[in-house]
Amino acid sequence: MELCLQEHGFTCRSANFNHETGDCAMSDMDRFTVSGLNSLTAEERVDYIESNCVSDPLKMCDFTPLNGRILKTVDSIHQDVATLEQCQQLCLQAPDFRCHTFDFGDTGTGVCRLSHHATPSLQHIEEPYLELESATTYQLTACYNVTVDCRASDMVARIKTNKIFNGKVYAKNRPNSCVADVVNDLEFDLRLGYHDLNCDVRQDALGRFSTDIIIQHHDQIVTSQDVGLSVRCSYNLQNRSIGHGVELQVSGEPDESEENAYVVSPTVTMRITDRQGQDIHTAQVGDALSLRFNILDEDTPYQIFVRELVALDGVDSSEILLIDSLGCPTDPTIMGPITTVDQAARSLQAPFDAFKFPTSDVVQFKALVTPCLPSCEPVLCNVEDYYGIERRVDSYGKRRRKRGVSTTNDEDMLLVQSIRIADKFQFNKEMGDGKNRDRLAEKGGEHPFCMNILGLAAAATIFLCTQVLLAVMCLWQRKWRNDTAPYHDRQHLYHRGY
């Protein structure tokens, strides 16, 4: 027992002591962590012991109701408890033992009973439950503690559970590209890089990053046991304090050292604008737009360069690389080279004509931006225009090596921005083109050079039918006159050529 309690290399939850050999075999598992795996077998001369001093994760917990029965004996009883939720909290916060089961109001009004036992620890006890039709026992199933480590270029979600876990944890919007497979473990984590396009970390505001993760027990499907969490990191660029919405643990800060100069990294934004620099949130295919990258700090000595600019559709099925890792445009017919807007080169722009993906009207842009001192040199790119003529252009996608000044952070910054773009194929059931219809209405009728094919066909049909009818009437009239006229009249008509 002492060896288990004093073990620091791992969390000792249980041990087997062999009386004959004196062997003490310690384990980081116990009956509750391997629940349902039939982990205990009878063996002579061996005692199984279990630690009651283990600190289990108890932040997010689920309880399963066992209807029609309550435990005959418990560890503690609390009276005048107001609600079932308060009784559950008493179980989770029990100071003297690891509570796994509770019942409420079954043995008296406001009575809350707590026990360290659960189904895994009752296998060797005969008839541990008292059968009561109206009673319900609530048994702890799984708990999770999630902490977020906010670091310079990524966030790491660290998960601890009280029950052995087999499954995976992944970013909700990237279940295949940003995932960690877990096999028989109680502690696991998921790294979410800010500049990793496969993990889809959102930049909600300046210095604020967030994403959603899923803890999935089954390897292929989502079930009611699974847990969804939103994790966030917030950076104050002035004093570098870091916070988030779950449980904060900060690590990875650079060690302080003496420098001749100390410069705070700049705050950079990416905006979608028209060619005059006005913000745009919706557009139509073909509109002249720009991506603008701006340093917000007025007195910063930094300049910036942009690379690995990617456009993704709103349903995560297509993406296209617009600016490559060197900072050159991959297809100038879609997006041009990155150029400076102001003389200080603290604002860059990349012109493009609005486009969209077939499966979505939302286009998301992601780019890696890196600050550089004292200035950024443009990279020389060979680009081919619409007519197939190759030319060389400057694009601000290559930084100059820093000289003599240290920075607090020289990591790439991931910038994200989205826009809704509509196509031009807006069909109207009454007329093919709403614009043409409006134009005709303004002129008061049909265009003089436009012809209605269906109308012509109908008119031609009526005209032919009329001609046929007239011909038939004429023939019938002549036949009738010939039959009724006198003989000499018929002869006269014959000689005249009728």
Side-chain angles (χ1 to χ4, degrees):
M1 289 183 183
E2 289 298 325
L3 287 173
C4 184
L5 293 175
Q6 296 173 8
E7 176 59 46
H8 298 294
F10 62 94
T11 300
C12 179
R13 288 181 168 82
S14 65
N16 293 318
F17 176 65
N18 191 312
H19 290 275
E20 185 174 294
T21 63
D23 291 337
C24 176
M26 295 181 293
S27 174
D28 61 349
M29 302 291 177
D30 58 23
R31 292 173 294 177
F32 302 101
T33 59
V34 294
S35 175
L37 300 180
N38 297 322
S39 57
L40 292 184
T41 57
E43 187 173 340
E44 294 183 0
R45 298 179 300 278
V46 176
D47 287 341
Y48 171 79
I49 57 177
E50 211 163 62
S51 173
N52 196 43
C53 300
V54 176
S55 178
D56 283 332
L58 298 173
K59 291 295 183 181
M60 296 177 295
C61 298
D62 290 328
F63 285 82
T64 299
L66 304 176
N67 298 318
R69 53 185 174 175
I70 59 174
L71 284 171
K72 293 180 179 179
T73 60
V74 294
D75 293 279
S76 66
I77 299 176
H78 300 261
Q79 296 182 341
D80 299 326
V81 179
T83 63
L84 179 71
E85 288 73 20
Q86 289 183 9
C87 184
Q88 177 176 310
Q89 286 302 312
L90 288 172
C91 178
L92 294 176
Q93 298 171 2
D96 301 324
F97 59 94
R98 297 164 64 191
C99 178
H100 295 98
T101 301
F102 75 91
D103 58 71
F104 175 71
D106 295 325
T107 58
T109 303
V111 176
C112 174
R113 306 193 315 153
L114 313 178
S115 173
H116 74 282
H117 277 302
T119 300
S121 62
L122 294 172
Q123 298 176 3
H124 65 289
I125 300 177
E126 186 176 352
E127 297 182 1
Y129 292 102
L130 181 66
E131 303 294 333
L132 291 175
E133 184 177 352
S134 60
T136 302
T137 293
Y138 297 89
Q139 186 169 282
L140 182 65
T141 52
C143 293
Y144 301 93
N145 273 9
V146 179
T147 59
V148 180
D149 184 3
C150 298
R151 306 192 299 188
S153 60
D154 57 30
M155 65 170 75
V156 180
R158 305 190 189 280
I159 301 135
K160 294 182 180 180
T161 180
N162 67 334
K163 186 177 179 181
I164 192 168
F165 183 83
N166 282 287
K168 57 185 180 180
V169 55
Y170 56 86
K172 180 182 178 181
N173 295 330
R174 296 288 192 275
N176 298 320
S177 61
C178 190
V179 60
D181 291 315
V182 185
V183 179
N184 294 340
D185 213 339
L186 297 174
E187 298 182 14
F188 46 94
D189 56 48
L190 176 65
R191 179 184 176 276
L192 302 152
Y194 299 143
H195 60 279
D196 188 353
L197 300 179
N198 293 323
C199 282
D200 192 37
V201 177
R202 301 183 299 272
Q203 185 176 9
D204 301 323
L206 296 178
R208 296 182 181 180
F209 301 89
S210 68
T211 191
D212 300 324
I213 65 172
I214 303 296
I215 303 173
Q216 182 174 306
H217 294 73
H218 193 276
D219 191 50
Q220 293 179 310
I221 60 174
V222 178
T223 66
S224 59
Q225 301 179 33
D226 301 335
V227 179
L229 298 170
S230 179
V231 294
R232 299 183 296 275
C233 282
S234 179
Y235 297 85
N236 187 323
L237 299 179
Q238 299 302 318
N239 55 23
R240 300 184 63 81
S241 63
I242 302 176
H244 64 81
V246 188
E247 258 186 288
L248 179 62
Q249 289 184 349
V250 180
S251 65
E253 288 291 320
D255 295 333
E256 294 185 1
S257 57
E258 295 184 0
E259 300 287 347
N260 294 327
Y262 187 82
V263 182
V264 178
S265 295
T267 302
V268 184
T269 63
M270 177 173 66
R271 300 157 46 226
I272 300 174
T273 70
D274 57 21
R275 295 293 168 86
Q276 288 71 44
Q278 300 298 317
D279 290 333
I280 296 294
H281 303 288
T282 60
Q284 193 175 41
V285 171
D287 289 352
L289 305 178
S290 290
L291 280 179
R292 291 218 176 190
F293 303 86
N294 300 92
I295 299 179
L296 298 184
D297 311 276
E298 295 182 358
D299 300 326
T300 181
Y302 280 99
Q303 291 183 1
I304 53 174
F305 78 96
V306 180
R307 60 185 178 85
E308 294 186 25
L309 173 60
V310 178
L312 305 95
D313 75 346
V315 295
D316 192 27
S317 61
S318 301
E319 66 177 50
I320 181 172
L321 181 66
L322 302 175
I323 302 295
D324 61 21
S325 59
L326 298 177
C328 292
T330 59
D331 189 345
T333 62
I334 300 178
M335 178 166 284
I338 300 173
T339 58
T340 58
V341 177
D342 59 345
Q343 187 174 2
R346 294 187 178 92
S347 180
L348 306 178
Q349 70 172 353
F352 69 100
D353 291 339
F355 61 90
K356 66 183 292 293
F357 293 89
T359 54
S360 173
D361 60 351
V362 175
V363 179
Q364 185 181 63
F365 295 94
K366 292 188 177 184
L368 295 184
V369 177
T370 302
C372 46
L373 284 173
S375 62
C376 296
E377 291 181 342
V379 61
L380 198 58
C381 303
N382 293 322
V383 298
E384 188 175 283
D385 62 17
Y386 180 80
Y387 300 99
I389 301 175
E390 189 174 276
R391 56 193 178 92
R392 307 190 77 180
V393 297
D394 288 340
S395 181
Y396 281 80
K398 186 177 181 181
R399 59 179 170 175
R400 181 181 299 185
R401 183 173 298 177
K402 301 185 297 294
R403 302 172 186 169
V405 181
S406 297
T407 67
T408 58
N409 183 10
D410 192 30
E411 296 292 335
D412 292 333
M413 293 176 285
L414 176 66
L415 301 184
V416 181
Q417 193 59 263
S418 299
I419 186 173
R420 188 174 296 274
I421 297 179
D423 59 36
K424 294 188 176 182
F425 307 110
Q426 303 296 328
F427 296 100
N428 188 288
K429 292 184 179 180
E430 296 180 359
M431 294 190 66
D433 189 335
K435 294 182 180 179
N436 290 337
R437 181 187 61 190
D438 295 339
R439 211 162 35 237
L440 294 174
E442 292 175 0
K443 292 187 177 183
E446 297 290 339
H447 194 285
F449 298 101
C450 294
M451 304 184 68
N452 191 319
I453 302 302
L454 292 177
L456 288 176
T461 303
I462 294 173
F463 176 78
L464 290 176
C465 291
T466 302
Q467 295 301 315
V468 172
L469 181 62
L470 290 174
V472 171
M473 290 178 65
C474 289
L475 291 174
W476 178 82
Q477 185 177 9
R478 291 170 186 166
K479 183 177 184 304
W480 178 81
R481 290 177 59 186
N482 289 337
D483 291 340
T484 57
Y487 176 76
H488 63 277
D489 291 338
R490 292 199 297 271
Q491 289 291 101
H492 175 71
L493 291 171
Y494 174 79
H495 287 296
R496 291 185 61 182
Y498 286 92

